[in-house]
Amino acid sequence: MANPSFIIVAIDGGAASGKSSSSRTLSERFHLLHADTGSYYRALTAELLRGGVTPTDLPGVKAALSAVSFTTRVTGRSAEIELSGHTIPDAEIRSAEVTAHVAPFAAIPEVRAALLDYQRGQADTARKNNFRGLVMEGRDIGSKIFPDADFRFFLFADPVERARRREQQGLQDQVAKRDTLDSQRLQESLQGAVLIDSTHLTLAQVVETLAAPIAARLAA
Ligand code: DC
């Protein structure tokens, strides 16, 4: 029987806006399955690059997509993507090479279409694994993947602060450049979402802002 209190939380926002840390914390607090869809696009990018495919080679992209299958490994509270049965190491999906190529691959409609049902299917993975819900972060979660999500948040932050966060994480990332490539999706996902400016907020403050309405709903 469907669990009536099962909730879906969509968290969209640009690179280094605070999505990952806050959605991880929410997943712990409310026992939600956490799906980082940026890591799905990154894993697929790594797989395509391994096969020598570039974002301008559309026939190569299509051929590679038709040969790959997507499954999920639930590790703790995290829904990790497996490509044709294997996961891609975190060091590779966060590498400068993948970071530089992920936005151009993610802009290809066939790439987005290939991941659409897979991402929606994470709600079933959460139910089957007895989570209380799903928290999914990305760029188009509240607009395309789960437009009927129970909660739709959009996080943003000043570009200087975002560059500082990435540097502190020891990562090379041109956040503003990636956001320009991702901008149409970002525009769409902020419509109707609760907007949160994380520039001057601590992680704890961001989490409190997101958690308050969720806690109220779950207590009702
Ligand atoms: O969240 P992230 O920076 O790890 O995401 C990596 C890239 O993946 C980002 O530049 C855009 C793309 N992406 C997307 O297009 N749609 C999503 N739902 C998630 C990520």
Side-chain angles (χ1 to χ4, degrees):
M1 203 182 91
N3 175 356
S5 69
F6 185 89
I7 56 163
I8 295 185
V9 183
I11 304 188
D12 289 305
S17 58
K19 302 185 303 288
S20 283
S21 313
S22 49
S23 47
R24 265 198 192 91
T25 309
L26 286 184
S27 82
E28 278 166 33
R29 185 170 307 181
F30 297 113
H31 192 57
L32 309 175
L33 181 66
H34 173 228
D36 168 8
T37 62
S39 76
Y40 301 166
Y41 281 94
R42 287 171 176 275
L44 185 51
T45 295
E47 187 78 354
L48 292 166
L49 292 173
R50 281 182 184 185
V53 180
T54 62
T56 51
D57 170 17
L58 191 55
V61 169
K62 285 186 185 174
L65 290 175
S66 63
V68 71
S69 64
F70 304 112
T71 48
T72 301
R73 179 182 301 178
V74 176
T75 306
R77 290 187 191 80
S78 181
E80 292 171 6
I81 194 167
E82 295 173 322
L83 299 166
S84 304
H86 63 268
T87 54
I88 310 256
D90 216 48
E92 188 175 340
I93 72 165
R94 307 276 155 209
S95 68
E97 201 198 355
V98 167
T99 300
H101 286 90
V102 63
F105 275 122
I108 300 172
E110 285 81 355
V111 168
R112 307 199 71 76
L115 284 172
L116 183 77
D117 288 343
Y118 173 74
Q119 292 171 92
R120 290 192 176 141
Q122 297 301 10
D124 279 341
T125 305
R127 287 190 182 92
K128 280 187 195 128
N129 287 274
N130 297 317
F131 284 92
R132 210 164 174 190
L134 172 71
V135 54
M136 180 170 276
E137 55 164 303
R139 303 292 190 288
D140 59 349
I141 310 309
S143 51
K144 289 268 167 11
I145 309 300
F146 290 116
D148 297 330
D150 299 272
F151 300 93
R152 290 181 51 204
F153 297 109
F154 188 95
L155 290 184
F156 63 99
D158 178 271
V160 175
E161 168 60 14
R162 295 190 295 139
R164 192 192 65 77
R165 290 176 188 172
R166 279 294 190 255
E167 219 177 282
Q168 236 181 12
Q169 293 165 336
L171 297 173
Q172 276 180 41
D173 191 357
Q174 292 182 294
V175 289
K177 186 173 165 208
R178 279 205 294 135
D179 278 1
T180 307
L181 288 168
D182 299 333
S183 63
Q184 194 203 329
R185 278 183 293 287
L186 290 169
Q187 283 297 328
E188 286 171 7
S189 63
L190 63 79
Q191 308 293 327
V194 174
L195 309 186
I196 297 158
D197 180 354
S198 74
T199 310
H200 304 295
L201 299 180
T202 62
L203 171 61
Q205 289 170 322
V206 174
V207 169
E208 280 325 305
T209 310
L210 302 174
I214 300 175
R217 165 81 64 91
L218 291 176

